[in-house]
Amino acid sequence: MRSRNYRSSGLWLLVALTASAFPGIDCSARADSVLFDGRFDPKHITTQDAVVEESRIATGRALHVVTGTLQLWPGITLHAPGHWDLSGYVHVTVRLRNAGTNDVRVSCRVDNPGADGTKNCVTDSLALGPDQSGVLKVALKRTSDGKLGGKLFGMRGYPVTPGGPGTVDPKNITQILLFVNKPSASHTFELQDLRATGPYTPPTASVADAEPFFPFIDTFGQYKHRDWPGKVHSLTELAERRAEEAKELAAQPGPSEWDQYGGWNGGPQLAASGYFRAEKYRGKWWLIDPEGHLFWSHGIDCVRALDPTPIDERAEWFENFPGDQVALREFLSGGYALKGHYAGRSPKTFSFSGANLWRKYGADWRQEYNEVIHRRLRSWGLNTIGNWSDETTRLMRRTPYTDTLSSRGAKNIEGSDGYWGKFPDVFDPSFESGVRRSMGGRKGRTAGDPWCLGYFSDNEMSWGEDTSLALAALKSPAEQAAKKALVVDLKAKYDDIAKLNTVWGTKHESWEALLESREAPDKKKAHADLVEFYSKAAEHYFRTVRDAIQAAAPNQLYLGCRFAWVNERAAIAAGKYCDVVSYNLYKRTIADFKYPGADKPLIVGEFHFGALDRGMFHTGLVPVANQSERAQTYQDYVLGAARHPQFVGTHWFQWKDEPTTGRVYDEENYQIGFVDVADTPYREIIEASRAVGRRLYRERIADSENPKPK
């Protein structure tokens, strides 16, 4: 029963958040600190184009918030009396429920004095479907990149300095905002709980760590000025770790209920086709391995990738640079840079990870390390080598793997754009010939190999909004094949250009004039035609790739294109032609993921979590506090996906941390590996992966009828 209802005129008033919040309260203890439990005083809340009520729920009380459409950011502000000291915590977490009938994305902003939406605040958001509940986490990011006045460059993350844009001082949090961003409709959500969570672990790399700061990278490619668990200090220590791990892997060879492929030997026996296939079993999608056992793809990307880092303009950065040693010069190379400081150039590079493998395993490190890789994968509860991995490692046929084909080389739609580049023109003959050529190159290698699950195509393509491909075609030159295809469709539909002009509100004098025009029409007026062509283009992409795979490898799966930025039309088109639809989902959980198309098996091509407690400068796309939280979040993510009826696997990105000083292609230097640059496994996430491997199959089938043992 709702007991109170308050609306303000939009003035931001100084109010208290909870009856237990006092000026200067110290919340720096390690236990969660409850900031709000559903009870509030009407004078202690401010609204902007919103109505807020106190309501009763099963677990106590909540704030029931209804937002309007008159303001850009309608919502509520909750103010601290004085301030909260949250310096002992990593996140502000908000438990929410969508109490409305339409989808909503709720944002939470945590402020210091002077917050303006960019400075002195941190923000995150959570999307919820009708009647869906979830927890929104806002990281209390308290440090920014330290570039030493421009002396550091070419990295995504840098040693830290206090403050900066997108950061807060957690000792002085003055207010918390909950709002909807630029809504076109009214929304209703419940705030059920608000608290500070997670013990804070300070970063292990700061520009204030040493004077002089240079050199700051040691001979192993590690940050020089700090120590941490697992850091390598000498060649002797590197060699000792090899022997120690060999004993561990022998003692823990892997899950006992797995067959040679990593399928569930302790589960039901289905038809054995000799290849991997997708099949629904007792209400859930599975992969079935060549022996006919249930298989869930617990995998990892970029296995054995060496990831070089640029060394041009950086001579003073490296201590005892190993590239000067004759035996390690094989790890000197070059590489093209797409983004960042070296963009458009091919700087000299060096692979510290490769040099460390040579120093750890000897001159025959490639063969030695491949053996270690397969033993590690099995011991760590992993049964799939994912995308971008070394072919020699895959073709040892000891662990199932995926392969990929590319449309690179096809003509692009000139009017398109995207993070990784333009979209291929699927109507140009070069597209079909390119994917068939790419797939043809797999014959005699991965095509027809029972250990190969199947094929991804391209990666994180620029699918854009559901009008983007049509608009890109219209903005392209007259000779663009996609543009010609669109104009043919429009001509067939309207016949007379005047009819098109009436609908679109344009003034083209002829169909030839439309071909020559590079201007985009009004998206709203032309919407029906634009989205129709978009679906046609998307379906043409997936059908062409599907046919190329079937021609070369008829017994293997088409695993989709690894969606990152995607709309429903593209996702639905994928479902019509892919055996499995793939997404790269950088989230903390996908347990409630909803695919917009028909019932299809899904697979995660990439996800990861990273922390700053082991000498690295960037967490990657989903930050966590430390290695313990990284391990727990990994376990929660994978097992959450395993319980989902459609997911048939998750592939972690990636095997090894990226270079401390950034990979050449795009400057990424994320702490996202199962092993670090010196090939030392991160103990916490390895144990989490082993636990997942042991629990995986029984967890997935737990809410189905238990199969009888063979």
Side-chain angles (χ1 to χ4, degrees):
M1 176 179 178
R2 300 186 180 98
S3 58
R4 286 176 285 187
N5 179 347
Y6 302 93
R7 177 187 292 273
S8 83
S9 62
L11 297 176
W12 301 98
L13 306 176
L14 183 63
V15 293
L17 181 57
T18 68
S20 60
F22 297 97
I25 185 171
D26 180 3
C27 301
S28 60
R30 291 297 183 179
D32 287 0
S33 178
V34 177
L35 304 177
F36 176 73
D37 62 2
R39 293 169 292 185
F40 78 106
D41 188 314
K43 66 182 180 180
H44 292 159
I45 192 167
T46 303
T47 68
Q48 177 162 299
D49 190 21
V51 174
V52 60
E53 300 173 331
E54 183 180 296
S55 62
R56 291 192 178 277
I57 58 175
T59 56
R61 293 189 176 102
L63 289 186
H64 188 88
V65 181
V66 180
T67 60
T69 59
L70 301 177
Q71 300 289 332
L72 293 178
W73 301 284
I76 63 174
T77 300
L78 307 166
H79 297 258
H83 71 277
W84 292 294
D85 179 357
L86 306 183
S87 57
Y89 298 97
V90 177
H91 301 104
V92 166
T93 60
V94 191
R95 186 172 298 279
L96 299 165
R97 184 178 78 88
N98 182 355
T101 57
N102 52 353
D103 292 346
V104 64
R105 178 174 289 276
V106 181
S107 295
C108 178
R109 198 179 92 188
V110 181
D111 287 1
N112 286 148
D116 62 4
T118 301
K119 298 178 180 178
N120 302 312
C121 61
V122 286
T123 308
D124 213 327
S125 63
L126 177 69
L128 296 171
D131 200 37
Q132 185 179 8
S133 297
V135 176
L136 166 57
K137 286 192 173 185
V138 183
L140 293 171
K141 186 180 178 184
R142 61 201 79 198
T143 54
S144 64
D145 298 333
K147 298 184 181 181
L148 290 176
K151 293 181 180 179
L152 297 176
F153 52 84
M155 299 180 279
R156 290 287 182 92
Y158 295 81
V160 298
T161 56
T167 67
V168 290
D169 175 2
K171 292 183 178 180
N172 190 24
I173 303 301
T174 55
Q175 63 184 24
I176 297 175
L177 287 66
L178 290 163
F179 59 92
V180 180
N181 185 26
K182 301 177 182 177
S184 58
S186 178
H187 295 284
T188 304
F189 62 88
E190 285 180 353
L191 166 60
Q192 299 177 345
D193 181 83
L194 179 68
R195 62 183 62 208
T197 62
Y200 173 64
T201 304
T204 54
S206 168
V207 294
D209 286 337
E211 179 60 42
F213 186 76
F214 295 95
F216 67 100
I217 299 296
D218 70 16
T219 191
F220 299 106
Q222 305 167 124
Y223 181 63
K224 173 187 173 182
H225 298 308
R226 288 274 191 95
D227 202 3
W228 57 83
K231 186 176 184 180
V232 168
H233 303 89
S234 67
L235 293 173
T236 299
E237 189 174 27
L238 197 63
E240 290 172 347
R241 291 186 181 183
R242 176 185 178 183
E244 292 168 359
E245 187 183 12
K247 295 178 182 178
E248 177 190 319
L249 296 178
Q252 300 189 67
S256 60
E257 290 189 324
W258 285 12
D259 65 18
Q260 64 172 332
Y261 295 100
W264 192 15
N265 196 33
Q269 178 66 59
L270 306 180
S273 68
Y275 292 90
F276 283 92
R277 69 182 189 271
E279 185 174 309
K280 204 165 190 179
Y281 178 79
R282 295 182 180 174
K284 292 184 176 180
W285 282 101
W286 292 82
L287 298 178
I288 310 300
D289 76 16
E291 296 182 357
H293 295 137
L294 299 178
F295 181 96
W296 204 86
S297 185
H298 187 208
I300 192 164
D301 296 325
C302 304
V303 174
R304 217 199 77 172
L306 299 185
D307 266 357
T309 190
I311 58 174
D312 280 355
E313 307 170 49
R314 292 175 161 183
E316 65 174 333
W317 290 25
F318 308 113
E319 179 183 62
N320 189 18
F321 178 59
D324 293 335
Q325 301 175 37
V326 174
L328 301 180
R329 287 179 183 172
E330 66 176 285
F331 303 107
L332 288 166
S333 61
Y336 179 74
L338 178 69
K339 296 178 179 294
H341 178 80
Y342 299 99
R345 293 187 277 162
S346 297
K348 293 179 182 178
T349 65
F350 183 75
S351 173
F352 282 93
S353 62
N356 290 334
L357 294 177
W358 193 99
R359 291 184 282 192
K360 184 174 182 178
Y361 296 99
D364 193 28
W365 67 270
R366 289 176 177 84
Q367 182 59 36
E368 293 288 332
Y369 193 50
N370 279 338
E371 293 290 333
V372 171
I373 285 171
H374 287 289
R375 288 199 297 271
R376 279 177 171 177
L377 289 168
R378 191 76 171 198
S379 175
W380 296 351
L382 295 159
N383 62 10
T384 308
I385 297 175
N387 232 33
W388 324 121
S389 296
D390 176 72
E391 184 171 87
T392 301
T393 309
R394 291 181 290 152
L395 292 184
M396 290 176 71
R397 297 178 174 90
R398 298 256 300 271
T399 305
Y401 63 88
T402 65
D403 200 357
T404 187
L405 64 95
S406 172
S407 64
R408 188 175 300 169
K411 290 184 179 179
N412 293 321
I413 301 176
E414 286 303 312
S416 67
D417 55 23
Y419 184 82
W420 295 117
K422 298 179 183 294
F423 200 91
D425 188 340
V426 300
F427 298 101
D428 192 279
S430 65
F431 174 73
E432 181 176 359
S433 63
V435 296
R436 286 187 175 271
R437 183 170 56 251
S438 179
M439 192 61 210
R442 272 82 185 145
K443 290 181 179 180
R445 293 157 54 201
T446 63
D449 183 1
W451 289 86
C452 178
L453 276 70
Y455 298 86
F456 296 107
S457 62
D458 297 307
N459 182 61
E460 297 189 346
M461 301 172 73
S462 305
W463 290 101
E465 297 179 351
D466 61 4
T467 59
S468 62
L469 298 183
L471 291 172
L474 290 169
K475 291 187 287 185
S476 296
E479 62 270 18
Q480 187 83 55
K483 188 172 192 176
K484 291 179 180 179
L486 175 54
V487 172
V488 167
D489 289 350
L490 295 172
K491 193 173 182 179
K493 178 177 180 179
Y494 291 102
D495 185 45
D496 189 341
I497 191 67
K499 294 179 181 179
L500 174 77
N501 286 333
T502 299
V503 175
W504 284 20
T506 50
K507 297 179 180 180
H508 301 296
E509 295 181 357
S510 65
W511 294 110
E512 291 72 22
L514 174 58
L515 267 175
E516 293 296 332
S517 172
R518 303 287 292 270
E519 295 182 4
D522 184 302
K523 286 196 296 184
K524 291 184 178 179
K525 293 179 179 179
H527 186 264
D529 296 321
L530 298 177
V531 297
E532 182 178 354
F533 182 78
Y534 186 101
S535 290
K536 179 179 180 177
E539 290 188 20
H540 195 83
Y541 172 87
F542 291 110
R543 182 173 59 250
T544 302
V545 175
R546 189 267 324 259
D547 291 349
I549 292 172
Q550 288 188 348
N555 296 309
Q556 287 158 284
L557 299 170
Y558 179 20
L559 303 173
C561 68
R562 302 159 63 88
F563 287 127
W565 312 280
V566 65
N567 60 76
E568 288 192 1
R569 285 183 176 270
I572 290 170
K576 292 182 178 181
Y577 298 98
C578 300
D579 298 300
V580 181
V581 178
S582 52
Y583 287 82
N584 295 348
L585 294 174
Y586 287 95
K587 304 172 180 291
R588 293 183 70 94
T589 179
I590 56 171
D592 297 322
F593 183 85
K594 293 182 180 179
Y595 173 66
D599 185 19
K600 294 287 294 188
L602 311 173
I603 195 167
V604 175
E606 295 180 16
F607 75 106
H608 66 222
F609 315 106
L612 298 179
D613 60 339
R614 298 289 168 87
M616 295 291 287
F617 306 156
H618 200 299
T619 62
L621 300 182
V622 185
V624 291
N626 50 46
Q627 297 308 310
S628 294
E629 185 180 348
R630 189 165 81 119
Q632 185 62 55
T633 309
Y634 175 87
Q635 182 168 303
D636 293 345
Y637 184 104
V638 178
L639 291 179
R643 298 183 192 104
H644 193 290
Q646 290 178 271
F647 281 109
V648 296
T650 57
H651 297 173
W652 172 271
F653 187 89
Q654 60 180 15
W655 175 260
K656 188 188 296 287
D657 282 344
E658 293 175 326
T660 310
T661 49
R663 67 183 187 183
V664 62
Y665 187 64
D666 59 1
E667 302 188 338
E668 286 186 8
N669 59 339
Y670 300 164
Q671 192 276 305
I672 52 175
F674 269 45
V675 300
D676 66 14
V677 68
D679 192 50
T680 301
Y682 286 98
R683 178 60 52 193
E684 296 87 347
I685 202 166
I686 297 308
E687 292 306 321
S689 182
R690 282 176 168 148
V692 167
R694 290 190 296 268
R695 297 170 55 186
L696 181 61
Y697 290 118
R698 296 189 182 278
E699 288 269 344
R700 179 160 179 78
I701 210 163
D703 57 354
S704 304
E705 180 184 352
N706 289 326
K708 296 180 181 179
K710 295 192 308 176

